[in-house]
Amino acid sequence: MTLYLNLAELLGTRIEQGLYRPGDRLPSVRSLSQEHGVSLSTVQQAYRHLEDMGLASPRPKSGYFVPLGRQMPALPQISRAAQRPVEVSQWDHVLELISSSPQHDMLQLGRGRPDISGPTLKPLLRNLSRQARRQDPDVLTYGGIRGDIRLREQIARLMLDSGCQLEAEDLVVTTGCHEALSAAVRAICQPGDIVAVDSPSFHGVMQALKGFGMKALELPTDPLTGINLDALEMALEQWPIKAIQLTPNCNNPLGYIMPDANKRALVALAQRFDVAIIEDDVYAELAYSYPRPRSIKSFDEDGRVLFCSSFSKTLAPGLRVGWIAPGRYLEQVVHMKYLGTGSTAQLPQLALAEFLKDGHYEPHLRRMRAQYLRSRDLMVDWVSRYFPAGTRVSRPQGSFMLWVEMPQGFDSQKLNRALLPHKIQIAPGSIFSAAGKYRNCIRLNYAEPPSTTIEAAVKQIGATIAELIEEADLQHTQDLGQWR
């Protein structure tokens, strides 16, 4: 990310968290230049970006101030601790979301898809075409069960940025991150076992637990820092938990980045109770700040962390190429992969290895981080403007997902059905819970470049929410009248 966007994100986060309140004077251009070791023009660019986002207001000869009318929506509430492990439900609603094929007249704001229209993906498309034209028999073979060595070498190099020092032999290429997560769960757990998860949590993992006959224990999760470690410790003391599964960096759907101190403490807890950690890192390279956040795996000293990731969110989901660094569970994971898909397709692996080797990945990430940061700020502004008063909104620190919370009693599944005539789809919050909680929440995707079409869709969602709330209030009033 360019320096001015990095600085703007830092200042914006401080404003959103209340360190600078409405009316406060922001640090001077010169002091920020000295503090961060950047040029005066870089700081001025950062302030212009904050001004565009409505986070800073210039005053002649006085500097920049937080606008007096600036009011960020409240954060989503911290989820409550689950009383016991539960069997996972909500498959029908997940199937409804993932079964919807791309339609030109349907604006799909519910799917976890990145933007794939950017010019920085052209070298990858050329690599795919070139690999096919070469008529190399390697493209048509099964390939090794652990993946092409050239790609694994490049992935090992990438993982240095997450704080991990791994060799190609430590990695297994998978058919997307979903297979990596599924193989990790099956390598550790048996039917009936309990897996502790952050809450809300990725619906794919929830449904994997359901399919494998396992139970989920949902942990209270802070929208800025992640799972509550005290609650986790109590759960580990009370229940025979076999694994902890979470997305600590650029979480899906809340968008938080777990502090390093919490990651270190989490690993210590896992060591103390001798449980595995399954880390979903698929969004981490889309963090708005640089360098990217450290992984939990980087604090792992005894191989109990299974690190899972893919190129589905950073490049394109259609590649279906992911990987896992399973630590001490390497043999079990390879066996589970063999039972699942066998080897992963060779063509995208070879094209990706070339794309990474030629240095195209980092420029693409820089472009997408900047785009997603701008889209996030606009999406938060639109939701604040068009949704009913009292709506709570997450503060994503990376990726392209926004978690929106309406008043208790609101039905986001009903909202999804009401939006179909308007050719808009959202993700109802209940699919991100094992027990179907968060029915009053939705997840919105802001990956696409901002446009008047998307703004109009957000406005329509807000209007529909208001109509449904009004209908529910009227029905409640009528029901009370009947009882009187």
Side-chain angles (χ1 to χ4, degrees), residues 243-256:
I244 304 163
Q245 195 286 315
L246 71 169
T247 307
N249 293 322
C250 309
N251 173 268
N252 174 23
L254 286 172
Y256 64 80

Side-chain angles (χ1 to χ4, degrees), residues 56 91 96-97 151 154 162 180-181 286 306 348 377 447 449:
W91 166 239
E96 182 180 341
L97 176 68
L151 177 59
Q154 292 298 322
S162 73
L181 292 167
L286 296 176
L306 297 91
D377 292 342

Side-chain angles (χ1 to χ4, degrees), residues 303-336:
R304 69 178 60 249
V305 178
L306 297 91
F307 176 101
C308 305
S309 192
S310 84
F311 297 103
S312 294
K313 309 304 180 182
T314 54
L315 291 174
L319 294 169
R320 308 311 304 135
V321 175
W323 69 92
I324 179 170
R328 64 167 77 166
Y329 305 100
L330 178 60
E331 290 186 10
Q332 297 96 310
V333 164
V334 171
H335 189 202
M336 292 303 109

Side-chain angles (χ1 to χ4, degrees), residues 21-327:
R21 295 172 295 180
D24 283 357
R25 185 177 186 273
L26 293 165
S28 70
V29 171
R30 186 170 298 279
S31 66
L32 284 174
S33 172
Q34 294 173 348
E35 178 185 352
H36 296 278
V38 296
S39 67
L40 296 176
S41 63
T42 295
V43 179
Q44 289 168 342
Q45 278 185 292
Y47 270 132
R48 281 195 291 270
H49 181 77
L50 290 173
E51 188 179 353
D52 291 341
M53 295 300 105
L55 289 170
S57 177
R59 295 183 191 173
K61 299 182 180 180
S62 298
Y64 284 86
F65 292 76
V66 180
L68 286 172
R70 178 68 189 173
Q71 188 173 1
M72 290 294 293
L75 286 164
Q77 299 182 67
I78 298 175
S79 57
R80 295 179 181 178
Q83 294 182 345
R84 64 184 186 280
V86 298
E87 294 180 355
V88 178
S89 58
Q90 307 304 308
W91 166 239
D92 290 344
H93 297 117
V94 173
L95 182 62
E96 182 180 341
L97 176 68
I98 64 176
S99 296
S100 57
S101 58
Q103 302 177 31
H104 294 296
D105 62 343
M106 177 69 73
L107 187 58
Q108 294 182 325
L109 298 178
R111 299 294 297 272
R113 293 172 177 161
D115 178 36
I116 56 173
S117 64
T120 46
L121 284 178
K122 289 182 178 179
L124 178 59
L125 294 172
R126 287 196 296 269
N127 287 352
L128 287 165
S129 177
R130 185 161 52 246
Q131 289 290 343
R133 289 198 310 271
R134 285 175 181 168
Q135 300 183 22
D136 186 344
D138 281 353
V139 172
L140 301 178
T141 63
Y142 279 121
I145 187 69
R146 294 171 63 176
D148 187 84
I149 184 63
R150 289 161 287 188
L151 177 59
R152 285 187 283 135
E153 287 172 348
Q154 292 298 322
I155 292 172
R157 180 181 58 81
L158 285 180
M159 288 191 62
L160 289 171
D161 290 339
S162 73
C164 296
Q165 294 187 354
L166 300 173
E167 303 293 335
E169 294 304 312
D170 299 320
L171 304 170
V172 178
V173 175
T174 59
T175 305
C177 188
H178 199 105
E179 186 189 35
L181 292 167
S182 296
V185 169
R186 288 190 297 162
I188 299 165
C189 305
Q190 301 295 324
D193 283 345
I194 300 169
V195 178
V197 298
D198 46 9
S199 182
S201 187
F202 171 46
H203 56 76
V205 171
M206 295 291 96
Q207 295 308 314
L209 298 181
K210 176 182 178 68
F212 302 145
M214 301 163 193
K215 295 182 179 181
L217 179 64
E218 298 185 70
L219 299 169
T221 303
D222 186 281
L224 288 179
T225 59
I227 61 168
N228 184 302
L229 294 175
D230 291 334
L232 172 61
E233 184 175 11
M234 291 177 61
L236 290 167
E237 291 172 345
Q238 184 176 3
W239 302 99
I241 294 170
K242 290 295 291 290
I244 304 163
Q245 195 286 315
L246 71 169
T247 307
N249 293 322
C250 309
N251 173 268
N252 174 23
L254 286 172
Y256 64 80
I257 294 176
M258 179 184 285
D260 284 351
N262 292 31
K263 293 171 184 172
R264 190 178 287 108
L266 173 65
V267 172
L269 270 178
Q271 289 173 335
R272 178 177 150 202
F273 289 92
D274 193 23
V275 298
I277 299 174
I278 302 173
E279 178 179 16
D280 182 353
D281 193 70
V282 72
Y283 294 98
E285 290 179 323
L286 296 176
Y288 303 140
S289 57
Y290 187 84
R292 59 144 287 170
R294 286 185 63 173
S295 62
I296 294 174
K297 181 71 174 176
S298 68
F299 298 102
D300 184 20
E301 297 177 349
D302 56 3
R304 69 178 60 249
V305 178
L306 297 91
F307 176 101
C308 305
S309 192
S310 84
F311 297 103
S312 294
K313 309 304 180 182
T314 54
L315 291 174
L319 294 169
R320 308 311 304 135
V321 175
W323 69 92
I324 179 170

Side-chain angles (χ1 to χ4, degrees), residues 2-12 32 36 38 42-43 46:
T2 52
L3 289 174
Y4 84 89
L5 285 175
N6 203 23
L7 180 58
E9 168 64 11
L10 175 64
L11 291 170
L32 284 174
H36 296 278
V38 296
T42 295
V43 179

